[in-house]
Amino acid sequence: MKYKVIFTTFILFIAFIAGNSFIVDNPYFAISNRDVELKIPRGFPKPYYNFEKNKLNAEVFVLGRKLFYDNILSKDNTVNCGSCHQRIAAFAHIDHRLSHGIYAKIGTRNVPPLQNLIWKDTYMWDGGVNNLEVQPINPITSPIEMDETLANVLIKLRRDSVYVHLFNKAYKDSLINSERLLKALAQFTGLMISANSRYDQYKKGKDTFSHDEKRGLSLFMQKCSACHTEPLFTDNSYRNNGIQADTTLHDRGREGITGIAGDRNRFKVPGLRNIAMTYPHMHDGRFRNLREVLNHYSDFRSSDASVDPAIQRIGPLSENEKNALIAFLNTLTDKTFLYDRRFADPSGNY
């Protein structure tokens, strides 16, 4: 009997290591309906996407999380959404200038962070997508990102017993289609809300700022808030910020969507929350850190008449002013969001 118990324990241990015979239920990844309640932060505007036609549900959210971190969405099963949208970088691609796709292909733009997406009226640097639910179609079908088709993704999902179970659990029947796939992803990404930085605590009177941080906030309101409007730190507009076009990328910006010559070199104004974590910066990732960004705006010279007037009004910045602005921008880092267990890669524990 003693040896039988030892043998059984050994077999269970081997199964655990292999990870194929059973799955350990890790409460860290457990999601309840309370976890997926939509809570609009105080002072935030009404969101563009409100989940009215995509009722929030824990099982649907878990399905979206599984899809987000699964290579099954790519043609060669090597790339997933989390490959480029990394949690620790506010779901941007830390330290990578341009996006990386399958077959080691390099894209033409910097990976934007995924945060506060339900307050965006359009997506992508050029605004080429106007709905959160359809946004994933772009990277899935892009030949330099995932190079797949929705039809083929659905075939793979229907053949996967885990997904058959998860779709059944989420939607209470066996139907696996593109609408449900996209809505599940929208629930996962749509709840990526960042609103608990030191700046937010300061605004509530629950934290204090240093002298530099206060000065940086004052300078920011004078020189930057016309485009980066509180509380989202973007006005959702498209602007030419005066950086010289990278001729190797052939990127015309918003003009590629509208066909309007005046939209050339205009890109979506990014939100600045967690900006210290989402480097490198700009649509082409040319600036490695915030100081390089401020150097550009401080020493602005351009013969391009279409450069936004708000950029031209910033004017020279002293080194002390740059330091103060960086100190303030660092207060926009939201550790609650960055370490939110709901958005962690569950690594197979479903």
Side-chain angles (χ1 to χ4, degrees):
M1 183 66 181
K2 176 181 178 181
Y3 294 107
K4 184 177 180 179
V5 171
I6 293 174
F7 178 77
T8 301
T9 303
F10 176 75
I11 292 300
L12 289 174
F13 176 75
I14 294 299
F16 174 78
I17 296 300
N20 296 320
S21 297
F22 64 89
I23 294 174
V24 177
D25 183 19
N26 188 334
Y28 180 81
F29 299 111
I31 298 295
S32 69
N33 281 328
R34 179 176 294 184
D35 290 321
V36 298
E37 292 175 357
L38 177 61
K39 299 174 182 177
I40 304 299
R42 188 177 70 180
F44 274 44
K46 181 180 179 180
Y48 289 98
Y49 186 89
N50 56 24
F51 298 101
E52 285 184 1
K53 297 181 180 179
N54 185 14
K55 296 298 182 183
L56 288 163
N57 177 279
E59 284 76 20
V60 177
F61 179 93
V62 168
L63 171 60
R65 180 179 64 182
K66 163 76 168 166
L67 289 163
F68 185 88
Y69 287 110
D70 200 330
N71 294 342
I72 201 169
L73 297 185
S74 63
K75 186 173 185 177
D76 64 351
N77 298 315
T78 62
V79 175
N80 62 64
C81 304
S83 299
C84 289
H85 296 286
Q86 299 166 337
R87 176 176 168 233
I88 192 60
F91 296 96
H93 202 176
I94 197 166
D95 226 11
H96 280 65
R97 181 188 169 202
L98 302 172
S99 63
H100 291 201
I102 66 171
Y103 317 130
K105 290 185 177 180
I106 306 297
T108 58
R109 289 176 179 165
N110 182 239
V111 176
L114 302 183
Q115 53 185 352
N116 299 332
L117 298 178
I118 60 176
W119 285 279
K120 290 184 178 292
D121 54 348
T122 58
Y123 303 90
M124 318 298 283
W125 282 102
D126 56 16
V129 179
N130 63 6
N131 187 286
L132 180 62
E133 289 182 18
V134 300
Q135 193 280 329
I137 297 175
N138 191 291
I140 289 172
T141 61
S142 167
I144 59 175
E145 291 189 55
M146 294 182 174
D147 196 26
E148 187 55 287
T149 66
L150 278 179
N152 202 48
V153 167
L154 293 175
I155 290 173
K156 290 189 285 186
L157 294 176
R158 290 164 185 159
R159 290 174 178 172
D160 189 306
S161 60
V162 173
Y163 277 110
V164 171
H165 169 71
L166 287 176
F167 271 89
N168 226 314
K169 193 173 180 181
Y171 295 107
K172 313 310 177 190
D173 62 50
S174 59
L175 178 63
I176 297 178
N177 62 15
S178 58
E179 179 184 5
R180 289 180 170 181
L181 158 71
L182 295 170
K183 283 189 172 182
L185 282 168
Q187 289 205 14
F188 181 69
T189 59
L191 286 180
M192 292 177 176
I193 297 173
S194 179
N196 195 34
S197 64
R198 283 191 55 230
Y199 156 81
D200 296 295
Q201 294 301 308
Y202 175 77
K203 295 289 284 188
K204 295 174 184 176
K206 296 181 179 180
D207 200 345
T208 57
F209 273 6
S210 68
H211 172 76
D212 273 357
E213 289 166 345
K214 288 179 181 178
R215 189 183 185 208
L217 172 57
S218 177
L219 285 166
F220 182 89
M221 297 306 295
Q222 295 171 35
K223 297 178 176 291
C224 313
S225 63
C227 304
H228 297 287
T229 310
E230 298 175 286
L232 297 166
F233 292 92
T234 176
D235 63 355
N236 278 328
S237 65
Y238 303 89
R239 299 180 188 247
N240 181 340
N241 68 354
I243 63 174
Q244 187 174 356
D246 185 333
T247 57
T248 66
L249 299 177
H250 309 290
D251 191 346
R252 297 179 296 155
R254 181 70 172 160
E255 183 192 18
I257 300 298
T258 66
I260 299 172
D263 282 337
R264 183 169 300 173
N265 296 328
R266 287 184 179 175
F267 294 89
K268 186 88 165 180
V269 175
L272 298 185
R273 287 181 175 271
N274 298 297
I275 190 67
M277 307 300 295
T278 61
Y279 57 90
H281 306 291
M282 300 300 178
H283 68 276
D284 57 5
R286 69 176 59 197
F287 296 137
R288 296 168 296 177
N289 52 53
L290 291 173
R291 188 165 297 278
E292 289 187 1
V293 173
L294 294 178
N295 287 344
H296 162 71
Y297 290 129
S298 175
D299 189 27
F300 181 77
R301 296 186 183 91
S302 177
S303 59
D304 187 348
S306 66
V307 172
D308 196 277
I311 307 299
Q312 302 180 50
R313 288 195 295 267
I314 292 175
L317 297 166
S318 70
E319 289 305 306
N320 285 338
E321 287 175 325
K322 293 175 189 177
N323 290 338
L325 279 166
I326 291 172
F328 165 68
L329 291 172
N330 283 330
T331 72
L332 298 179
T333 299
D334 180 357
K335 293 182 180 179
T336 302
F337 172 65
L338 297 177
Y339 302 135
D340 193 324
R341 66 173 184 82
R342 295 176 300 167
F343 307 116
D345 181 354
S347 302
N349 293 292
Y350 298 99

